[in-house]
Amino acid sequence: MARSVYVAGIGRGDGRQVVELGMMELLSRQVDRVGIFRPLGHAGADAPDPVFDLLRARYRLSQPRAGVLGMTYERASVLQAEEGTDALVARLVGRFHEVAADYEAVLVLGSDYADTSIPAELALNARLANECGAAVLPVVGGAGQPADSVAAEVRNAHDAYASLGCDVLAMVANRVAPAAAAQVRQAVAEPGGHLPVPVYVVPEDAGLAAPTVAQIRDALGAGLLAGDAGGLARDVRDFVFGGAMLPAFLPALSEGCLVITPGDRADLVVGALAAHSAGSPAIAGLLLTLDERPGPDIMALAERLAPGTPLLTVAEGSFPTAAALVGLRGELNAATPRKADIALGLFESHVDSAQLTGRLTVAATGRVTPMMFEHMLIERAQSDRRHVVLPEGTEERVLLAAEVLVRRGVCDLTLLGEEQTIRKRAAELGLSLPLLGADAPAVQAANAPAAQGPAAPPSARITDPRVSPLRESFAELYAQYRAHRGVSVDMAYDVVGNVNYFGTLMVQQGLADAMVSGAAHSTAATVRPAFEVIRTAPGASIVSSVFFMCLADRVLVYGDCAVNPDPDAEQLADIAIQSATTAAQFGVEPRVAMLSYSTGTSGSGSGVDKVRRATELVRDRRPDLEVAGPIQYDAAVDATVAAAKMPGSRVAGQATVLVFPDLNTGNNTYKAVQRTAGAIAVGPVLQGLNKPVNDLSRGALVQDIINTVAITAVQAQGGAAPAPGGRS
């Protein structure tokens, strides 16, 4: 039977979607195929299920929506009344087994206590968990409750589920007031209150509680006069009602607020948008009441002042509009991926993932899927947090990635760029990203482990190279590095004002551990400063690159597919050794195939001879490495072909590191595999530099940036990792 986890509550409003998302994250790190089962729901099997739709989108699930639901509450209530609880349980457990038969693990989403007409709902959840063989993870809502009440609820919920025979995995107190969280932890740890299972306390988070502009539009049935998708995704952190004259109105504005004002108050509309344009403060949008709409001149001015900022309109007045907004909270669903990242960061910050995973009985799969590889990157980076500088701090995708990286504790960041521009852009995007300015403690102190301490929260700092006090010392340093090229200090002062040079010098000087750039710069602009300043590592003759090719059931390492056009035998051997080292660092056991158009001694020619010589050099330099070559691609990865072409080889048929003879072959092969085999290509990852610097594609997606930063942070840690999922 598939091992399952049953996330259950004791009442409404516990926000358990955060816990369900967190548990899905933990399960998907262990196994490839995770199923979802919701015993009871309010709508039919084909109706939208916001939580399942979010999980399906985020974790690339193939499970159809119709296969998730046991039955509706309405049907369950009738069945229980007519045939009894035993019949209801038998029917639901039967549906569970239908789901479990197709998956290695199942996440069960317990009932929500919302107008269900099901008596003894907690007891029903407990019985279903027992009959399904599931461990129970009860969630207690702590919103608006003092610490002692939350602690008492946690103990009572544990006792209730335990007394009904449940295998309680852990307890979660969720949505606890931040000021009360420490008191709750202390209360459940005191003599007489201590429980035999872990208790995790997750505080309320304003970023999760805040509704988006789109959610408010939908809740009010409002019309959209202006605004784009990015504007509608902004979080609304406050409401400001406009009625006063402009001088009194402007000081009331706050960052992320939604301005609610009659639509005929053109002065307040223009004033709010002008304040937003100036970045003081960046508002979420405007909601115009009484069905009054600004004229075309005002609308044209609004578009110029704050493009993308939403203007909504409703027919009601301010008071009924305000009443409709009371109690409206943010939602976790497929349309709010940023909130899912916030939720995961919250879960990972306050739940001991390693401890909770250790209490699961899900056996790790032997496969390494793309999702597992991504999880491994995040976990490795979190385990020894490093400091990465991102030169493109004003770039939208970089800011969106930065929020995820900081929220999930992947690394500390320095964003380079003009401070007001970065802050305004972050506010326009509605990011919950705490940004430290230039007047915060020095970068050196932020980067020092002793000052930071293991419990220090991750941070994002803004540094403007143009006005930084480091610029002069960096200019002197760069002039020393490039003196042989005739670079003076004055010339260097201009050069180090460039964000990529400034970021590279931060890394070289130990003010950051690594750098990632390229979302808005060419590869040359990103890597040239590294070649000039950081240079190659001892023992490395060249800088090269690899791609991690995430196939359906394994991860392969391809090198070099991005840097060296036609390496000679010495360079090719260096690329192979660098690629093997990188593979081991990321949990891929290196078995190196030196690729050619012939296998073994079957062919000849300058190309084959180069690969043969490179293979000999690898064996001489690294006798510990498993290496084969020359070898064709099919013989390297297909066991049947390997048995015919290179029998007895410990690499043929099971190679994990594939080294191409030249850039033309490597680049075309990785793109062909990426496009035709549906592989996810993570990279290029540069290797051979003294310190980690990596380049992004200018078409990089936000997830690509997150993955690349995580890889770079892991490179900065050094050392090798165990293989994801238990083997490579």
Side-chain angles (χ1 to χ4, degrees), residues 296-312:
D297 292 342
I298 297 297
M299 288 300 301
L301 180 59
E303 290 284 1
R304 289 196 297 272
L305 282 172
T309 297
L311 270 70
L312 307 180

Side-chain angles (χ1 to χ4, degrees), residues 550-639:
C550 301
L551 305 175
D553 61 348
R554 55 186 158 166
V555 175
L556 300 178
V557 177
Y558 283 11
D560 174 9
C561 303
V563 178
N564 297 286
D566 189 16
D568 60 25
E570 292 272 349
Q571 293 171 327
L572 198 59
D574 203 355
I575 291 168
I577 292 170
Q578 291 177 4
S579 301
T581 301
T582 301
Q585 190 175 20
F586 289 92
V588 177
E589 181 182 348
R591 295 186 289 273
V592 182
M594 307 294 288
L595 298 177
S596 177
Y597 58 80
S598 73
T599 296
T601 60
S602 66
S604 62
S606 60
V608 178
D609 292 342
K610 178 179 79 169
V611 174
R612 184 174 292 114
R613 173 61 180 152
T615 305
E616 293 169 355
L617 290 170
V618 173
R619 290 192 178 117
D620 289 343
R621 296 176 188 174
R622 286 287 304 274
D624 58 305
L625 280 179
E626 298 284 355
V627 58
I631 186 171
Q632 291 162 287
Y633 190 99
D634 57 350
V637 299
D638 187 295

Side-chain angles (χ1 to χ4, degrees), residues 337-415:
R338 279 190 48 254
K339 287 192 182 294
D341 288 317
I342 293 172
L344 270 181
L346 193 64
F347 183 88
E348 291 171 339
S349 298
H350 299 281
V351 173
D352 187 335
S353 297
Q355 180 187 47
L356 191 55
T357 300
R359 294 178 59 81
L360 295 171
T361 61
V362 177
T365 184
R367 294 178 299 279
V368 181
T369 67
M371 181 70 68
M372 289 178 185
F373 185 74
E374 290 179 7
H375 290 328
M376 182 277 291
L377 292 179
I378 298 298
E379 282 187 296
R380 282 287 310 283
Q382 290 169 331
S383 69
D384 183 11
R385 200 169 76 226
R386 296 301 168 124
H387 181 173
V388 180
V389 58
L390 303 179
E392 298 156 325
T394 58
E395 165 66 35
E396 176 179 327
R397 292 164 294 160
V398 171
L399 286 168
L400 290 168
E403 180 185 42
V404 176
L405 292 162
V406 170
R407 278 284 186 171
R408 299 194 64 183
V410 175
C411 57
D412 295 300
L413 296 174
T414 291
L415 302 171

Side-chain angles (χ1 to χ4, degrees), residues 488-508:
S488 67
V489 173
D490 287 342
M491 293 166 63
Y493 188 82
D494 290 336
V495 171
V496 301
N498 175 280
V499 289
N500 284 316
Y501 276 94
F502 191 94
T504 302
L505 285 159
M506 285 185 64
V507 176
Q508 177 64 12

Side-chain angles (χ1 to χ4, degrees), residues 541-555:
S541 63
I542 58 171
V543 174
S544 62
S545 72
V546 295
F547 279 88
F548 290 95
M549 302 300 295
C550 301
L551 305 175
D553 61 348
R554 55 186 158 166
V555 175

